[in-house]
Amino acid sequence: MAEKVLVAWALGKHEIEYRWVNLEASAGRVMVFLHEGLGSASLWRDFPERLCRRLGLRGLVFSRWGYGASTPRLPHERWGPDFMHRQALEFPPSFLAALQIDPRDRQVWFYGHSDGGSIALIYAAHHPDALKGLIVAAPHVLVEEITLESIRKARQAYLQADLKARLARYHSDPDSAFFGWCDAWLDPAFRSWDIRDLLPRIRAPILAIQGYDDEYGTMLQIEEIARLAPRVELLKLPRCRHSPHRDQPEAVMEAVERFFHAHGWMGGRGGAPAKP
């Protein structure tokens, strides 16, 4: 069941929807799930719980500001080309502190999907000692035309077809979620957005996942991560579009489990003391 916490950060005070999964596991080991550009806590469905039970750790699932049941973006508020940097650098420290999660005395992993993957990479580059590791699925590290073309198609579907009705199942204010994301990505200034210069600064090991049929990006995205970041494993999935955890859930969970085994993280080895 989702709860809410009030988080004060650079853009003001916002109520953030969140829920814990696999609470039976030690509180000293936490995987934080960062959703996609049109995602929310509920849109993950049961994937976080299934994965965390398999790995033997707790999961924290939440909706970023403007999404799900969190405080919506006001109609006049526009997200600029730096919106993912702001969501990565200004928000997580305040949110984690509000939930009494200190990466200095807990083991924390990030699992980021799409924009959430980019946010995870930005955070890891600026806080190189905060994460044990990160999994990024269909992340963006630069802007490709295929991405912009798919967002233009999504905008048309939102305005003229049933996309708004479908998003309303997962967002209390679908306009907040959709136009915050869409308008930022389609801003001409966003065309030069590029986070590749940050990748060499990431110390934590990375598992980067991409589907061959992803309509929002090509293999270039994760190949650039592997080229520039020091500790990267790649998973390239056939018959997989933009959401690997929905299109190929078993393959994703198997790869994450191998990733955890390879780094000695399974079975609570090396865990930090549990917190209440």
Side-chain angles (χ1 to χ4, degrees), residues 128-182:
D129 298 318
L131 300 178
K132 291 291 290 182
L134 58 160
I135 300 101
V136 292
H140 307 285
V141 298
L142 73 160
V143 179
E144 295 183 283
E145 184 55 36
I146 186 176
T147 314
L148 300 179
E149 181 58 28
S150 291
I151 293 172
R152 294 184 196 106
K153 290 178 180 177
R155 188 176 191 278
Q156 185 175 9
Y158 191 86
L159 295 174
Q160 301 178 6
D162 67 341
L163 181 56
K164 181 173 182 175
R166 288 188 283 123
L167 289 178
R169 303 171 194 165
Y170 306 105
H171 304 280
S172 57
D173 185 340
D175 283 354
S176 165
F178 184 81
F179 289 111
W181 166 78
C182 173

Side-chain angles (χ1 to χ4, degrees), residues 207-249:
L207 173 61
I209 305 169
Q210 186 81 22
Y212 279 105
D213 304 314
D214 190 339
E215 65 275 32
Y216 284 94
T218 71
M219 287 296 166
L220 176 64
Q221 302 288 343
I222 64 169
E223 288 169 353
E224 286 294 272
I225 296 173
R227 182 175 70 86
L228 294 166
R231 304 167 67 190
V232 182
E233 299 173 35
L234 299 184
L235 176 64
K236 299 180 178 182
L237 293 171
R239 300 179 301 282
C240 181
R241 289 165 62 86
H242 190 57
S243 298
H245 65 282
R246 289 196 287 270
D247 290 352
Q248 295 279 4

Side-chain angles (χ1 to χ4, degrees), residues 28-244:
R29 292 161 44 87
V30 179
M31 180 170 284
V32 181
F33 290 82
L34 296 98
H35 60 73
E36 62 187 298
L38 292 179
S40 67
S42 61
L43 195 52
W44 286 104
R45 301 185 180 122
D46 67 344
F47 176 78
E49 179 138 17
R50 291 170 62 197
L51 179 62
C52 288
R53 287 192 179 281
R54 190 160 179 160
L55 300 177
L57 51 90
R58 288 190 183 191
L60 175 60
V61 188
F62 70 100
S63 298
R64 295 192 299 276
W65 167 61
Y67 294 94
S70 295
T71 300
R73 177 187 59 86
L74 295 176
H76 68 274
E77 291 178 308
R78 292 182 61 86
W79 293 348
D82 65 343
F83 81 100
M84 282 189 276
H85 282 74
R86 302 200 77 168
Q87 292 281 358
L89 302 179
E90 297 173 359
F91 174 74
S94 298
F95 176 58
L96 295 177
L99 295 180
Q100 299 183 331
I101 299 172
D102 187 343
R104 293 172 298 181
D105 60 16
R106 299 201 195 197
Q107 293 187 353
V108 178
W109 293 263
F110 276 5
Y111 186 118
H113 174 216
S114 188
D115 285 13
S118 304
I119 290 168
L121 292 168
I122 296 167
Y123 178 90
H126 285 85
H127 300 277
D129 298 318
L131 300 178
K132 291 291 290 182
L134 58 160
I135 300 101
V136 292
H140 307 285
V141 298
L142 73 160
V143 179
E144 295 183 283
E145 184 55 36
I146 186 176
T147 314
L148 300 179
E149 181 58 28
S150 291
I151 293 172
R152 294 184 196 106
K153 290 178 180 177
R155 188 176 191 278
Q156 185 175 9
Y158 191 86
L159 295 174
Q160 301 178 6
D162 67 341
L163 181 56
K164 181 173 182 175
R166 288 188 283 123
L167 289 178
R169 303 171 194 165
Y170 306 105
H171 304 280
S172 57
D173 185 340
D175 283 354
S176 165
F178 184 81
F179 289 111
W181 166 78
C182 173
D183 289 349
W185 269 92
L186 296 182
D187 184 330
F190 195 80
R191 192 65 180 84
S192 61
W193 180 88
D194 191 322
I195 62 169
R196 286 178 290 181
D197 62 322
L198 297 178
L199 299 177
R201 296 163 52 180
I202 299 175
R203 295 180 193 167
I206 302 168
L207 173 61
I209 305 169
Q210 186 81 22
Y212 279 105
D213 304 314
D214 190 339
E215 65 275 32
Y216 284 94
T218 71
M219 287 296 166
L220 176 64
Q221 302 288 343
I222 64 169
E223 288 169 353
E224 286 294 272
I225 296 173
R227 182 175 70 86
L228 294 166
R231 304 167 67 190
V232 182
E233 299 173 35
L234 299 184
L235 176 64
K236 299 180 178 182
L237 293 171
R239 300 179 301 282
C240 181
R241 289 165 62 86
H242 190 57
S243 298

